[in-house]
């Protein structure tokens, strides 16, 4: 299959009269080799149902179609969603492997198939909420690779006690093991973005608890990082009825109340939440 290069991406955009939208994060990959490398890094196999969010003009989609049994692509922009099956048919003998859904990924509730792997160059302004939303609603997604803004990649893969560690790191850790998977040059995009990009790989693991525990844990995480320099006993005071009560709660959960949220891994947040549910 021939993949899309710079000339074809520009020609497609011209034909659609598409001025890439900043607010939709429309920076299209113009290097087919990079797309193949991303799909290889994601370990997509012929038994996979691959999910792509924001297929755009189809650069990554075509590379995914080379490897996966089928591809489902969710695109918010109707012009791009309508064009993609036409582009796929022009480049692939297996265009029927592709299903395009014209929808906002953040509003997605389910899909007509159960995807096993995610490969996406995510729209940068919504990359974290989209990533967390997909992990939440699509339990069959076992692994994948996403391209995001470099700082966001560092945050998603961060470990406790680092300056990058925060809400995205600890919430993602509820669902999956997340690791950095390399940098991507700005020159592979049209238009070139004014931020750097990185790849992040994830592997789903068993969640530490059920949905009611997750909701409690995520609420505590939000409070703990709302003012990240505050000690936990102060940061969680509103939830437990004052800093004295929060201190007692944390001690009962086996967590030092003078720590800050940035020192706690997902399991420590679970201990705090479980204490809340049990008492
Ligand atoms: N995958 C293509 C590529 O690599 O060339 C395009 C990636 S571009 C960074 C992001 C894409 O996501 C755009 O096509 C944009 O229209 C789409 N998009 C933006 N917000 C979206 C959303 N909330 N749901 C689904 N797609 C979205």
């Amino acid at each position: 299959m021939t993949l899309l290069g710079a000339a074809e991406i520009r020609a497609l955009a011209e034909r659609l009269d598409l001025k890439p939208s900043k607010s939709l994060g429309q920076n299209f990959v113009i290097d087919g080799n990079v797309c193949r490398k991303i799909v290889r890094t994601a370990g997509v196999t012929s038994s996979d149902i691959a999910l792509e969010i924001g297929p755009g003009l189809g650069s990554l989609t075509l590379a995914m179609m080379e490897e996966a049994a089928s591809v489902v692509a969710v695109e918010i922009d109707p012009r791009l969603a309508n064009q993609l099956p036409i582009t796929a048919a022009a480049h692939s003998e297996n265009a029927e492997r592709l299903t395009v859904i014209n929808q906002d990924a953040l509003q997605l509730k389910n899909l007509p198939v159960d995807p096993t792997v995610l490969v996406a160059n995510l729209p940068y302004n919504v990359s974290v909420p989209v990533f967390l939303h997909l992990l939440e609603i699509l339990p069959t997604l076992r692994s994948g690779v996403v391209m995001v803004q470099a700082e966001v990649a560092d945050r998603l893969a961060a470990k406790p006690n680092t300056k990058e560690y925060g809400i995205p790191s600890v919430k993602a850790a509820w669902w999956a093991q997340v690791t950095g998977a390399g940098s991507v040059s700005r020159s592979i995009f049209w238009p070139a973005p004014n931020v750097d990009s990185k790849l992040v790989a994830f592997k789903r693991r068993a969640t530490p608890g059920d949905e009611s525990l997750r909701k409690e844990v995520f609420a505590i995480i939000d409070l703990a990082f709302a003012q990240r320099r505050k000690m936990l006993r102060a940061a969680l005071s509103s939830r437990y009825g004052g800093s004295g009560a929060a201190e007692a709660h944390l001690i009962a959960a086996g967590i030092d109340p003078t720590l800050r949220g940035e020192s706690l891994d997902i399991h420590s947040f679970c201990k705090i939440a479980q204490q809340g549910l049990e008492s």
Side-chain angles (χ1 to χ4, degrees):
M1 191 190 304
T2 55
L3 301 189
L4 300 175
E8 198 157 10
I9 289 282
R10 284 209 182 83
L12 273 170
E14 211 163 285
R15 198 180 313 153
L16 296 176
D17 195 22
L18 180 92
K19 311 261 174 300
S21 151
K22 264 202 168 155
S23 63
L24 291 179
Q26 290 179 340
N27 301 94
F28 304 109
V29 177
I30 54 175
D31 184 330
N33 289 329
V34 170
C35 293
R36 284 198 173 109
K37 195 172 150 221
I38 294 171
V39 173
R40 253 199 328 270
T41 305
V44 177
T45 72
S46 58
S47 54
D48 273 314
I49 300 173
L51 170 65
E52 182 180 16
I53 300 298
L57 290 164
S59 312
L60 202 47
T61 324
L62 296 181
M64 290 162 74
M65 288 171 68
E66 286 183 330
E67 303 298 335
S70 61
V71 175
V72 56
V74 178
E75 170 59 57
I76 198 170
D77 186 330
R79 298 166 300 174
L80 295 172
N82 291 337
Q83 173 62 37
L84 190 53
I86 301 167
T87 305
H91 282 259
S92 169
E93 287 166 7
N94 302 306
E96 75 288 346
R97 286 185 189 175
L98 174 68
T99 305
V100 182
I101 298 175
N102 180 204
Q103 205 182 329
D104 178 348
L106 284 170
Q107 303 302 323
L108 211 58
K109 299 227 168 11
N110 47 45
L111 286 169
V113 291
D114 292 329
T116 53
V117 63
L118 170 68
V119 185
N121 173 12
L122 290 175
Y124 286 3
N125 49 352
V126 288
S127 56
V128 170
V130 167
F131 183 57
L132 294 176
H133 181 61
L134 297 174
L135 287 169
E136 181 182 341
I137 65 159
L138 300 171
T140 55
L141 268 185
R142 60 162 169 59
S143 62
V145 166
V146 292
M147 193 195 301
V148 293
Q149 190 176 333
E151 291 74 14
V152 173
D154 292 344
R155 268 181 234 143
L156 282 170
K159 300 288 171 264
N161 294 312
T162 60
K163 71 174 182 348
E164 292 82 14
Y165 189 68
I167 292 175
S169 343
V170 66
K171 286 188 177 173
W174 171 273
W175 306 109
Q177 189 188 349
V178 182
T179 48
S183 307
V184 181
S185 161
R186 290 182 194 196
S187 65
I188 64 143
F189 297 98
W190 175 79
N194 49 16
V195 293
D196 290 318
S197 302
K198 283 188 179 174
L199 300 174
V200 160
F202 72 93
K203 275 198 174 26
R204 188 183 283 277
R205 59 178 172 214
T207 58
D210 62 13
E211 195 49 19
S212 68
L213 182 70
R214 184 187 70 76
K215 286 189 177 140
E216 181 69 14
V217 168
F218 278 27
I220 293 169
I221 292 167
D222 287 336
L223 285 173
F225 287 98
Q227 290 161 292
R228 51 182 299 139
R229 298 310 306 157
K230 272 195 177 173
M231 291 178 188
L232 286 168
R233 66 178 171 218
L236 302 183
S237 64
S238 62
R239 191 146 194 100
Y240 298 116
S243 65
E247 176 159 352
H249 179 100
L250 287 159
I251 290 169
I255 304 292
D256 177 351
T258 65
L259 290 177
R260 297 182 172 84
E262 64 200 19
S263 321
L264 267 50
D265 66 9
I266 185 66
H267 301 291
S268 299
F269 278 107
C270 288
K271 282 187 193 168
I272 301 173
Q274 258 150 351
Q275 182 64 29
L277 294 177
E278 282 157 15
S279 60

